[in-house]
């Protein structure tokens, strides 16, 4: 298809597509002759991914370039880690993270969450250090309760993401993962609020 047809198919303007091409976010089309190139499904998938990451997650051009570079490498796990850090702002959260945190390190060891590297690990250390400085560190045992709950969520999410990568390609995997990450925090907070309110209602109601 021509560039104008790609624009019509994806809903992106031709000016946006030319910008994506100049920035290296969209691979060049197959040259037909000096002034015409042909674009295919690969380009459709890439444009849809770029638009989703811009509109839903608000990713910058630099962050989008990092996503594209990792898609070209073709490692789904590295790609998911990068998308997670970009969408959730983990790199920013981890700026002041300590090199190690006893509570975080012990928690990760107990639940098999890998070594201390990576934005997610650093962000966890930073959050626990902040809570401790404010006198709000979770009571003993509470972190493990949280860990068991989020482990189940993580297993379900990752299984879906990797299945999508195998069936529909990395661009579609990124769209689904980024959208879920961006919206999931709000959903989980609200589900927790409902569960807490329900528990409080049952307990206080039983005491009356």
């Amino acid at each position: 298809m021509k560039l104008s047809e790609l624009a019509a198919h994806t809903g992106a303007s031709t000016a946006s597509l030319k910008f994506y091409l100049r920035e290296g976010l969209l691979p060049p089309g197959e040259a037909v002759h000096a002034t015409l190139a042909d674009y295919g499904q690969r380009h459709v998938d890439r444009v849809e991914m770029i638009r989703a990451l811009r509109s839903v997650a608000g990713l910058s051009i630099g962050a989008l370039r990092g996503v594209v570079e990792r898609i070209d490498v073709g490692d789904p796990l590295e790609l998911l880690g990068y998308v997670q850090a970009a969408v959730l702002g983990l790199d920013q959260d981890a700026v002041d993270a300590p090199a190690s945190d006893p509570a975080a390190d012990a928690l990760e060891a107990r639940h098999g969450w890998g070594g201390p590297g990576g934005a997610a690990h650093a962000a966890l250390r930073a959050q626990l250090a902040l809570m401790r400085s404010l006198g709000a560190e979770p009571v003993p045992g509470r972190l493990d309760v949280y860990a068991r709950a989020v482990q189940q969520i993580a297993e379900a999410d990752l299984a879906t993401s990797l299945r999508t990568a195998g069936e529909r390609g990395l661009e579609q995997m990124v769209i689904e993962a980024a959208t879920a990450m961006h919206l999931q925090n709000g959903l989980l907070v609200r589900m927790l609020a409902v569960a807490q309110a329900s528990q409080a209602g049952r307990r206080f109601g039983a005491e009356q």
Side-chain angles (χ1 to χ4, degrees):
M1 69 182 81
K2 298 177 182 178
L3 190 69
S4 59
E5 294 172 322
L6 178 62
H9 190 81
T10 60
S13 67
T14 54
S16 293
L17 296 180
K18 290 177 180 179
F19 175 74
Y20 299 155
L21 287 165
R22 288 196 304 272
E23 291 294 320
L25 301 177
L26 188 64
E30 184 176 349
V32 176
H33 55 68
T35 59
L36 182 65
D38 183 57
Y39 301 89
Q41 187 60 45
R42 178 189 180 195
H43 297 88
V44 172
D45 293 341
R46 182 65 60 85
V47 173
E48 290 178 345
M49 182 198 74
I50 292 169
R51 298 192 76 203
L53 293 180
R54 290 285 282 171
S55 63
V56 176
L59 262 61
S60 67
I61 295 300
L64 284 171
R65 190 175 291 110
V67 172
V68 167
E69 290 171 354
R70 285 159 180 80
I71 286 176
D72 292 339
V73 170
D75 183 340
L77 292 179
E78 180 184 354
L79 174 61
L80 279 173
Y82 181 85
V83 171
Q84 180 190 52
V87 171
L88 299 181
L90 297 183
D91 289 328
Q92 182 176 356
D93 290 346
V95 169
D96 297 322
S100 65
D101 181 273
D105 296 344
L107 180 70
E108 292 180 357
R110 287 196 301 274
H111 294 275
W113 287 352
H121 298 279
L124 175 61
R125 294 196 302 272
Q127 183 67 23
L128 286 174
L130 173 63
M131 294 175 73
R132 188 177 301 112
S133 71
L134 297 173
E137 186 175 15
V139 298
R142 185 70 56 83
L143 283 177
D144 289 300
V145 173
Y146 297 160
R148 287 190 290 271
V150 298
Q151 181 68 29
Q152 290 183 301
I153 296 170
E155 289 171 357
D157 288 348
L158 189 59
T160 300
S161 295
L162 294 181
R163 183 169 60 250
T164 298
E167 295 175 354
R168 302 175 64 187
L170 293 178
E171 280 87 358
Q172 189 61 40
M173 180 195 76
V174 169
I175 292 173
E176 293 184 8
T179 301
M181 290 172 192
H182 184 69
L183 299 175
Q184 190 178 65
N185 281 356
L187 175 62
L188 291 176
V189 167
R190 286 156 180 78
M191 289 178 67
L192 177 59
V194 170
Q196 289 171 336
S198 178
Q199 286 285 335
R202 283 197 293 269
R203 294 190 180 188
F204 286 114
E207 293 175 0
Q208 294 177 357

